[in-house]
Amino acid sequence: KPGERVTGYKLEMAPRVVISGRVLDENGEPMPGVGVLARRVPQPVPTHSAPMAWGSTDDRGMFRLAVPPERYNLIASVQSNPSEGPEIRTDGSVDSQYLPTYYPSTLSRESAAIVEARPGADVNGIDIRPVHSAMLHISGAVSGIPACAGEVGILLSRKTEYNQRAAPAGPDGKFSFANV
Protein backbone atom coordinates (compact mmCIF):
# COMPACT_ATOMS: atom_id res chain seq x y z
CA LYS A 1 0.00 0.00 0.00
CA PRO A 2 1.21 3.58 -0.43
CA GLY A 3 3.70 4.44 2.31
CA GLU A 4 3.92 0.86 3.59
CA ARG A 5 7.40 -0.56 4.05
CA VAL A 6 7.83 -4.30 3.46
CA THR A 7 10.76 -6.00 5.19
CA GLY A 8 11.91 -9.57 5.51
CA TYR A 9 10.45 -10.53 2.12
CA LYS A 10 12.50 -13.34 0.57
CA LEU A 11 12.59 -13.80 -3.21
CA GLU A 12 14.37 -16.95 -4.37
CA MET A 13 15.60 -17.11 -7.94
CA ALA A 14 16.35 -20.31 -9.84
CA PRO A 15 19.68 -20.27 -11.72
CA ARG A 16 19.66 -20.63 -15.49
CA VAL A 17 20.61 -24.00 -16.95
CA VAL A 18 22.87 -24.37 -19.97
CA ILE A 19 21.94 -26.99 -22.57
CA SER A 20 24.77 -27.62 -25.03
CA GLY A 21 25.63 -30.02 -27.79
CA ARG A 22 26.26 -30.41 -31.50
CA VAL A 23 24.34 -30.69 -34.74
CA LEU A 24 25.90 -33.26 -37.07
CA ASP A 25 25.10 -34.35 -40.63
CA GLU A 26 24.59 -37.96 -41.74
CA ASN A 27 28.38 -38.42 -41.98
CA GLY A 28 29.02 -37.13 -38.44
CA GLU A 29 30.39 -33.81 -39.73
CA PRO A 30 29.51 -30.59 -37.83
CA MET A 31 26.80 -28.39 -39.33
CA PRO A 32 27.44 -24.66 -38.79
CA GLY A 33 24.64 -22.07 -38.88
CA VAL A 34 21.82 -24.44 -37.85
CA GLY A 35 19.09 -22.94 -35.66
CA VAL A 36 18.38 -24.81 -32.41
CA LEU A 37 15.21 -24.13 -30.40
CA ALA A 38 14.40 -25.27 -26.86
CA ARG A 39 10.60 -25.50 -26.50
CA ARG A 40 9.04 -26.10 -23.08
CA VAL A 41 7.19 -29.41 -22.53
CA PRO A 42 4.28 -29.46 -22.31
CA GLN A 43 3.95 -26.62 -24.81
CA PRO A 44 1.97 -23.83 -23.14
CA VAL A 45 -0.68 -21.83 -24.92
CA PRO A 46 1.42 -19.75 -27.36
CA THR A 47 2.39 -16.47 -25.71
CA HIS A 48 5.28 -14.09 -26.09
CA SER A 49 6.51 -14.99 -22.60
CA ALA A 50 6.56 -18.79 -23.01
CA PRO A 51 9.92 -20.13 -21.73
CA MET A 52 12.06 -21.07 -24.68
CA ALA A 53 15.47 -20.26 -26.09
CA TRP A 54 16.89 -20.12 -29.57
CA GLY A 55 20.46 -20.14 -30.81
CA SER A 56 22.59 -21.10 -33.76
CA THR A 57 25.45 -23.56 -34.14
CA ASP A 58 28.98 -22.19 -34.50
CA ASP A 59 31.59 -23.22 -37.08
CA ARG A 60 32.13 -26.49 -35.16
CA GLY A 61 28.41 -27.35 -35.13
CA MET A 62 28.19 -26.53 -31.39
CA PHE A 63 25.20 -24.84 -29.73
CA ARG A 64 24.68 -23.45 -26.24
CA LEU A 65 21.30 -22.39 -24.84
CA ALA A 66 20.69 -20.75 -21.44
CA VAL A 67 17.20 -21.67 -20.21
CA PRO A 68 15.14 -21.62 -17.01
CA PRO A 69 14.84 -24.98 -15.23
CA GLU A 70 12.10 -26.85 -17.14
CA ARG A 71 11.54 -29.84 -19.41
CA TYR A 72 12.29 -29.16 -23.10
CA ASN A 73 12.15 -30.55 -26.61
CA LEU A 74 15.09 -29.46 -28.76
CA ILE A 75 14.53 -28.78 -32.46
CA ALA A 76 17.27 -28.28 -35.08
CA SER A 77 16.22 -26.34 -38.16
CA VAL A 78 18.46 -25.98 -41.21
CA GLN A 79 17.45 -22.78 -42.99
CA SER A 80 16.42 -23.09 -46.61
CA ASN A 81 14.45 -20.95 -48.98
CA PRO A 82 11.08 -22.66 -49.63
CA SER A 83 10.34 -20.34 -52.55
CA GLU A 84 13.29 -21.65 -54.55
CA GLY A 85 12.32 -23.93 -57.37
CA PRO A 86 13.32 -27.60 -57.49
CA GLU A 87 16.95 -28.47 -58.05
CA ILE A 88 17.41 -29.98 -61.49
CA ARG A 89 19.81 -32.92 -61.36
CA THR A 90 21.38 -34.58 -64.37
CA ASP A 91 21.48 -38.02 -62.70
CA GLY A 92 17.68 -38.13 -62.23
CA SER A 93 17.90 -38.22 -58.42
CA VAL A 94 15.26 -36.45 -56.32
CA ASP A 95 15.83 -33.06 -54.67
CA SER A 96 16.20 -33.38 -50.89
CA GLN A 97 16.68 -31.10 -47.88
CA TYR A 98 17.11 -31.29 -44.13
CA LEU A 99 13.80 -31.05 -42.26
CA PRO A 100 13.22 -29.50 -38.81
CA THR A 101 14.29 -32.35 -36.53
CA TYR A 102 13.57 -33.05 -32.86
CA TYR A 103 16.34 -34.40 -30.60
CA PRO A 104 17.72 -37.00 -31.03
CA SER A 105 16.71 -37.47 -34.69
CA THR A 106 12.97 -37.60 -35.27
CA LEU A 107 10.38 -35.56 -37.16
CA SER A 108 7.67 -36.18 -34.56
CA ARG A 109 7.26 -34.24 -31.31
CA GLU A 110 5.56 -37.33 -29.84
CA SER A 111 8.69 -39.48 -30.29
CA ALA A 112 11.18 -36.74 -29.35
CA ALA A 113 13.37 -37.11 -26.27
CA ILE A 114 12.66 -34.73 -23.39
CA VAL A 115 15.63 -32.85 -21.98
CA GLU A 116 15.36 -32.25 -18.22
CA ALA A 117 16.99 -28.93 -17.31
CA ARG A 118 17.31 -29.03 -13.50
CA PRO A 119 18.54 -26.09 -11.37
CA GLY A 120 22.32 -26.11 -10.98
CA ALA A 121 22.88 -29.02 -13.39
CA ASP A 122 23.92 -28.13 -16.95
CA VAL A 123 23.01 -30.58 -19.71
CA ASN A 124 25.88 -31.42 -22.08
CA GLY A 125 26.54 -33.85 -24.91
CA ILE A 126 23.28 -33.41 -26.82
CA ASP A 127 23.82 -34.51 -30.44
CA ILE A 128 21.12 -33.78 -33.00
CA ARG A 129 21.27 -35.33 -36.46
CA PRO A 130 18.81 -33.57 -38.81
CA VAL A 131 16.67 -35.83 -40.98
CA HIS A 132 17.28 -35.60 -44.72
CA SER A 133 14.23 -36.13 -46.92
CA ALA A 134 13.07 -35.90 -50.51
CA MET A 135 11.07 -32.75 -51.18
CA LEU A 136 7.68 -32.58 -52.85
CA HIS A 137 6.12 -29.91 -55.00
CA ILE A 138 2.38 -29.37 -54.69
CA SER A 139 0.41 -27.54 -57.34
CA GLY A 140 -3.19 -27.34 -58.41
CA ALA A 141 -5.99 -25.03 -59.38
CA VAL A 142 -8.93 -23.54 -57.57
CA SER A 143 -12.12 -23.65 -59.64
CA GLY A 144 -15.41 -21.87 -59.29
CA ILE A 145 -13.96 -18.58 -58.09
CA PRO A 146 -16.64 -15.88 -58.43
CA ALA A 147 -15.60 -12.82 -60.42
CA CYS A 148 -16.19 -10.59 -57.37
CA ALA A 149 -13.95 -12.72 -55.07
CA GLY A 150 -10.79 -10.64 -55.47
CA GLU A 151 -7.55 -12.37 -54.47
CA VAL A 152 -7.70 -16.05 -53.45
CA GLY A 153 -4.95 -17.77 -51.48
CA ILE A 154 -4.20 -21.33 -50.41
CA LEU A 155 -2.87 -22.09 -46.92
CA LEU A 156 -0.64 -25.12 -46.36
CA SER A 157 -0.07 -26.19 -42.75
CA ARG A 158 1.14 -29.25 -40.89
CA LYS A 159 -1.35 -30.90 -38.58
CA THR A 160 1.10 -31.08 -35.65
CA GLU A 161 3.03 -27.82 -36.01
CA TYR A 162 2.46 -24.08 -35.95
CA ASN A 163 4.29 -23.32 -39.20
CA GLN A 164 2.20 -22.45 -42.23
CA ARG A 165 2.83 -21.31 -45.79
CA ALA A 166 0.54 -19.43 -48.12
CA ALA A 167 0.46 -19.17 -51.90
CA PRO A 168 -1.73 -16.90 -53.97
CA ALA A 169 -3.88 -18.42 -56.66
CA GLY A 170 -3.28 -16.70 -59.99
CA PRO A 171 -6.07 -15.19 -62.11
CA ASP A 172 -6.50 -18.65 -63.66
CA GLY A 173 -6.82 -20.22 -60.16
CA LYS A 174 -3.45 -22.03 -60.33
CA PHE A 175 -1.21 -22.25 -57.23
CA SER A 176 2.08 -23.94 -56.36
CA PHE A 177 4.15 -24.82 -53.28
CA ALA A 178 7.80 -25.70 -53.90
CA ASN A 179 10.03 -27.73 -51.54
CA VAL A 180 7.36 -29.19 -49.25
Side-chain angles (χ1 to χ4, degrees), residues 15-21 63-68 117-118 121-124:
R16 300 289 256 176
V17 178
V18 173
I19 300 173
S20 61
F63 67 89
R64 180 180 164 88
L65 306 173
V67 297
R118 293 192 172 101
D122 290 346
V123 180
N124 304 306

Side-chain angles (χ1 to χ4, degrees), residues 14-20 36-40 51-55 63-74 115-123:
R16 300 289 256 176
V17 178
V18 173
I19 300 173
S20 61
V36 179
L37 172 73
R39 183 179 290 161
R40 193 176 90 177
M52 64 174 55
W54 183 88
F63 67 89
R64 180 180 164 88
L65 306 173
V67 297
E70 290 280 353
R71 294 164 35 112
Y72 293 94
N73 284 137
L74 299 180
V115 175
E116 296 273 350
R118 293 192 172 101
D122 290 346
V123 180

Side-chain angles (χ1 to χ4, degrees), residues 122-145:
D122 290 346
V123 180
N124 304 306
I126 301 289
D127 285 352
I128 305 173
R129 295 181 183 260
V131 174
H132 211 247
S133 177
M135 302 306 288
L136 303 174
H137 303 280
I138 300 173
S139 62
V142 178
S143 60
I145 302 172

Side-chain angles (χ1 to χ4, degrees), residues 74-88:
L74 299 180
I75 306 150
S77 183
V78 178
Q79 299 303 316
S80 63
N81 186 350
S83 63
E84 292 176 357
E87 181 180 315
I88 299 172

Side-chain angles (χ1 to χ4, degrees), residues 44-68:
V45 175
T47 66
H48 295 294
S49 62
M52 64 174 55
W54 183 88
S56 186
T57 57
D58 64 15
D59 61 331
R60 297 172 294 148
M62 304 284 296
F63 67 89
R64 180 180 164 88
L65 306 173
V67 297

